[in-house]
């Protein structure tokens, strides 16, 4: 009887072990900068990150940058990456970056994986959008819409 209980307990622990650990999705797709250099989102692993998904022509995205620029300058605990998700982003990226003097890296989702819902995030409901990733690349928090300072701080905190 004792051997059966021990075997049952071992089977239970083994079954549960597979369910331990992160249950959030891992993001793994590639973006490019305006010079055509690629960044695999998986390469961000090892450091908490916050992705800012935006459209260069979107007023709400432009307004959101004010808070993000301040956050990037005040808090370096997480890597901040901007990703333009609209199809013609490459055309506008140079003037966009120059006009706004953005202190963090900006990329383009040239494969349209985010826009078409081909990542573990699914289809984006709109921009601006924010995704907090922990150091292993797991999605810890998402936020859609215009964020306040507290929302940005919470995104950074959730990535840590």
């Amino acid at each position: 009887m004792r051997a059966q209980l021990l075997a049952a307990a071992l089977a239970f622990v083994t079954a549960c072990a597979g369910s331990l650990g992160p249950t959030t999705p891992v993001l793994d797709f590639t973006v490019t900068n305006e010079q055509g250099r690629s960044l695999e989102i998986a390469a961000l692993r090892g450091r908490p990150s916050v992705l800012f998904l935006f459209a260069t022509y979107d007023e709400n995205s432009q307004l959101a940058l004010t808070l993000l620029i301040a956050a990037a300058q005040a808090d370096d605990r997480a890597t901040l990456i901007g990703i333009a998700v609209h199809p013609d982003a490459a055309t506008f990226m140079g003037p966009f970056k120059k006009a706004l003097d953005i202190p963090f890296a900006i990329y383009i989702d040239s494969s349209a994986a985010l826009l078409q819902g081909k990542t573990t995030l699914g289809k984006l409901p709109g921009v601006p959008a924010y995704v907090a990733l922990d150091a292993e690349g797991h999605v810890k928090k998402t936020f859609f819409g215009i964020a306040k300072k507290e929302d940005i701080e919470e995104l950074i905190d959730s990535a840590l």
Side-chain angles (χ1 to χ4, degrees):
M1 176 84 167
R2 185 174 181 169
Q4 290 173 330
L5 285 174
L6 185 57
L10 182 59
F12 177 74
V13 168
T14 303
C16 289
S19 65
L20 297 177
T23 58
T24 57
V26 173
L27 280 185
D28 194 8
F29 61 96
T30 302
V31 292
T32 56
N33 66 11
E34 64 184 303
Q35 290 82 31
R37 282 187 229 117
S38 296
L39 169 69
E40 293 182 29
I41 297 302
L44 296 174
R45 291 187 186 135
R47 179 139 169 87
S49 304
V50 175
L51 307 180
F52 171 58
L53 312 175
F54 69 97
T56 58
Y57 59 81
D58 177 57
E59 284 183 34
N60 291 331
S61 293
Q62 293 169 17
L63 289 171
L65 277 169
T66 304
L67 286 176
L68 288 169
I69 289 169
Q73 293 168 339
D75 190 345
D76 67 351
R77 296 177 299 153
T79 300
L80 190 55
I81 301 283
I83 303 173
V85 298
H86 57 97
D88 54 352
T91 305
F92 303 103
M93 194 52 64
F96 179 79
K97 284 174 58 177
K98 187 175 180 179
L100 296 170
D101 194 27
I102 302 167
F104 49 86
I106 300 287
Y107 291 87
I108 300 163
D109 178 23
S110 54
S111 69
L114 288 162
L115 193 61
Q116 296 173 6
K118 294 181 179 178
T119 72
T120 52
L121 287 176
K123 190 117 170 103
L124 292 178
V127 292
Y130 310 79
V131 181
L133 304 174
D134 68 10
E136 284 80 43
H138 295 277
V139 175
K140 290 307 201 179
K141 184 170 184 64
T142 57
F143 186 92
F144 301 94
I146 300 174
K148 297 180 288 225
K149 181 181 178 189
E150 307 84 60
D151 299 320
I152 303 292
E153 290 169 353
E154 191 176 316
L155 282 157
I156 292 170
D157 288 344
S158 69
L160 302 177

